[in-house]
Each structure stands twice: as C-alpha cells, then as structure tokens.
Amino acid sequence: MKKIKLSNISTVALLLILVAVMFIALACASDVFLTTNNLQNLIRQTAIYGVIAIGMTFVIMSGGIDLSVGSVVGLSGVICAMLMSNASWPIFPAAVAAVLVATLVGVFNGIIIFDGKVPPFIATLGVNTAMRGVIMLITGARMISGLPKAFTSFSRDTFLYIPMLGWVWFIIIAVAIVVIKYTTFGRNNFAVGSNTEAARLSGINIRLTTYGVYTVCAFLSAIAGVLMTARLGNGVPTGGEGYETDAIAAAVLGGASLTGAEGSIIGTVLGSLIMATLRNGGNLLGVNSFVLDIIIGLMIVFAVMLDKKRKK
C-alpha cells in the first residue's frame, strides 16, 4: 500500500478535516453548539478575528510581522465611539474617520520599517505599546457608552440568517482573494517575501510594497475595530488586546510561512474559523480561558513545525 506523504496533502484539505472533526466533536459534547443562535454568534466572533487575520496574512506573505494590530483595533473602536457619543457624529462619517485615522498607524509602521530599517517585530511591538498609551490618554481609561442603537444593532442584524458582520467579512475575503491572485500588488507581495533583493533588481518598488502591506493590515484591523465596537455596544479602551496572537495563529495555521512568500486567504479563513470555534466551544464546555490560551499557543508552535515538515 502506497504511503501518503504529508507534503502531498494540501493545507486547505487538512484544515477542512480539522474543522469537520471539531464541529462533530463539539456537536456531540454540547447540545447548544449547532443551534442557530450559537452558530450566528460563532460567525460574529470569526468575522472580527478573520478580518484582522487577512491583513496579517498580507504582512506575513511579505516576510514581515505586525504586532500592532490589537492596538489599531482598539484605537479605531474608541475613536468611532467618541465621535458618535461625544461629538454626535452620524454613524457612517464616524466609522470612516475612525478607520482612516487608525490606518495611519500602518503607514507609520511602513515608514519606520523601510526607511528607519527597524526590524518589523521591534517596530510594531513599539508602536503597539505607544498606541495603547494613546488610547488610554484620549479616553481617560474610561469606557465610552451612549452609542446609537442603529450602530449597535448592526452587529445583531442578520440577512438570510447570516449576521451582517459575517457579510462584511465575506466581502473582504472576496476582495482579498482578487488582490492576491490578480493584481500587481499581490504578485509583488509574494516576490518581496520570497527574495527582497531579487524583487528590487526586477524593478519592484520595495518601499511602496512595504508601505502597502502594513497599510492594508492596519486598514483591515481598523474595520475590525469598528465591528468590535458595534458588537460590544461600547468603546472599550482595552479592546483588541491579544488579538495579534489570534491573527498570527490563524494566518500560520492557514499555511502562511513566517519566512514569507507563502499563504492563502482561504487558508487564513479556515484558520480563523478554527480559532473562533476553539474559543466558542471552550466557553460552551466551561473550559478555563487560560487553558484555551495554552492550547492556542501550542497550536502556533505546531503549525510552524508542520510548515517545516511539509517543506522537507
């Protein structure tokens, strides 16, 4: 009998099998898991993590990393809440302004990484800490309430039984797939992640590509921040803390290589679903949240080991 090599099994196939196993196991362990209400909540959870993870995938494909996404989520969320609650801005202009301001963090990341020659890990870690300070400063470390009901109800609304947050995520997935597969920016991103010097010699603008991936990552994280604020019903200064871990885990589980030039949006989508399902199922079964953090950390390590194994 011919032995099936791990390298011959696609990442997407492995992830689909894992998702199926998780769903079957949780359906047997909990009567609540497959209910309409819980599945809708699962989509809402996955949508927020999933949007951030797509942005992280762009960065990882280029050979970088972004540890500032959690603070971008928080910054976007509190700015949106402050504009609606304190300044009485209409919902759409407040959301757009919040996303644009938070996206500037990504531009700043690109500048200090490319022009400042600071390693992505250190640069984005420093920016993450600085932005957390900014959030606490502008909010006074207080939660912002009094948001419009039309805004908060968006996270609860459904269309064809699918939450509106899910539809936003689906649209972003479709756009990201097109960008990665069919645009010059997507191809350049892979080239830079594969070999930066070769990409430069072939005429690719490394500066613009670097600026681009970090700006896209911040832009998507900012959108996630607005979605998170709508779901929570308040502007939370600590919102988004730790989200960078889940975003990296989802991208790496989905096949993105930390050495760059590898990854897929579909893989990241499945990775996000696995992360959210793990947390959702853990909550239903009463698993300690610290235990879930241990499992997620080990999953990241396992995914990297699997990536190395598949390349042999």
Side-chain angles (χ1 to χ4, degrees), residues 1-9:
M1 183 175 179
K2 186 177 180 180
K3 184 178 179 181
I4 299 176
K5 294 183 178 180
L6 183 62
S7 58
N8 292 335
I9 305 175

Side-chain angles (χ1 to χ4, degrees), residues 69-84:
V69 293
S71 63
V72 173
V73 170
L75 181 65
S76 174
V78 297
I79 290 176
C80 184
M82 291 175 69
L83 290 176
M84 289 187 290

Side-chain angles (χ1 to χ4, degrees), residues 13-292:
L14 288 172
L15 291 175
L16 285 172
I17 293 171
L18 181 56
V19 169
V21 170
M22 291 180 70
F23 267 64
I24 293 171
L26 289 171
C28 294
S30 172
D31 295 333
V32 179
F33 181 72
L34 288 182
T35 61
T36 301
N37 185 56
N38 185 65
L39 290 177
Q40 289 178 342
N41 283 333
L42 177 60
I43 292 175
R44 293 185 181 98
Q45 288 176 306
T46 311
I48 295 173
Y49 290 133
V51 170
I52 303 168
I54 289 173
M56 185 66 75
T57 302
F58 276 88
V59 172
I60 292 177
M61 283 178 178
S62 72
I65 198 76
D66 191 346
L67 300 180
S68 69
V69 293
S71 63
V72 173
V73 170
L75 181 65
S76 174
V78 297
I79 290 176
C80 184
M82 291 175 69
L83 290 176
M84 289 187 290
S85 179
N86 300 343
S88 301
W89 279 37
I91 295 172
F92 185 73
V96 171
V99 169
L100 291 177
V101 171
T103 299
L104 292 177
V105 177
V107 178
F108 182 64
N109 282 336
I111 291 173
I112 59 178
I113 289 169
F114 182 83
D115 299 294
K117 308 302 180 184
V118 180
F121 182 91
I122 300 300
T124 57
L125 179 62
V127 169
N128 181 65
T129 303
M131 288 302 104
R132 280 295 164 194
V134 170
I135 292 169
M136 293 301 173
L137 188 63
I138 64 177
T139 62
R142 298 187 186 91
M143 189 177 296
I144 303 164
S145 57
L147 306 185
K149 289 184 178 180
F151 177 69
T152 57
S153 65
F154 177 78
S155 67
R156 299 188 297 271
D157 291 341
T158 62
F159 177 68
L160 299 178
Y161 298 101
I162 297 176
M164 296 305 296
L165 298 187
W167 286 110
V168 173
W169 181 40
F170 297 158
I171 292 170
I172 290 173
I173 291 169
V175 172
I177 290 173
V178 171
V179 170
I180 288 292
K181 289 190 173 183
Y182 303 108
T183 68
T184 301
F185 173 70
R187 291 190 292 271
N188 289 351
N189 193 21
F190 273 107
V192 170
S194 177
N195 188 315
T196 303
E197 183 60 21
R200 185 186 67 81
L201 293 174
S202 66
I204 293 174
N205 191 319
I206 309 299
R207 181 197 299 271
L208 289 182
T209 303
T210 303
Y211 287 3
V213 293
Y214 286 96
T215 300
V216 167
C217 189
F219 174 71
L220 293 178
S221 298
I223 291 176
V226 173
L227 299 180
M228 180 196 69
T229 301
R231 188 161 188 259
L232 295 177
N234 295 285
V236 182
T238 57
E241 285 189 346
Y243 279 28
E244 58 275 1
T245 303
D246 284 351
I248 294 170
V252 172
L253 280 173
S257 174
L258 293 176
T259 58
E262 286 187 37
S264 73
I265 299 303
I266 297 300
T268 297
V269 168
L270 292 173
S272 301
L273 182 58
I274 289 170
M275 301 299 298
T277 302
L278 183 61
R279 292 194 181 279
N280 179 273
N283 291 334
L284 291 178
L285 299 177
V287 178
N288 190 301
S289 61
F290 299 131
V291 174
L292 291 177

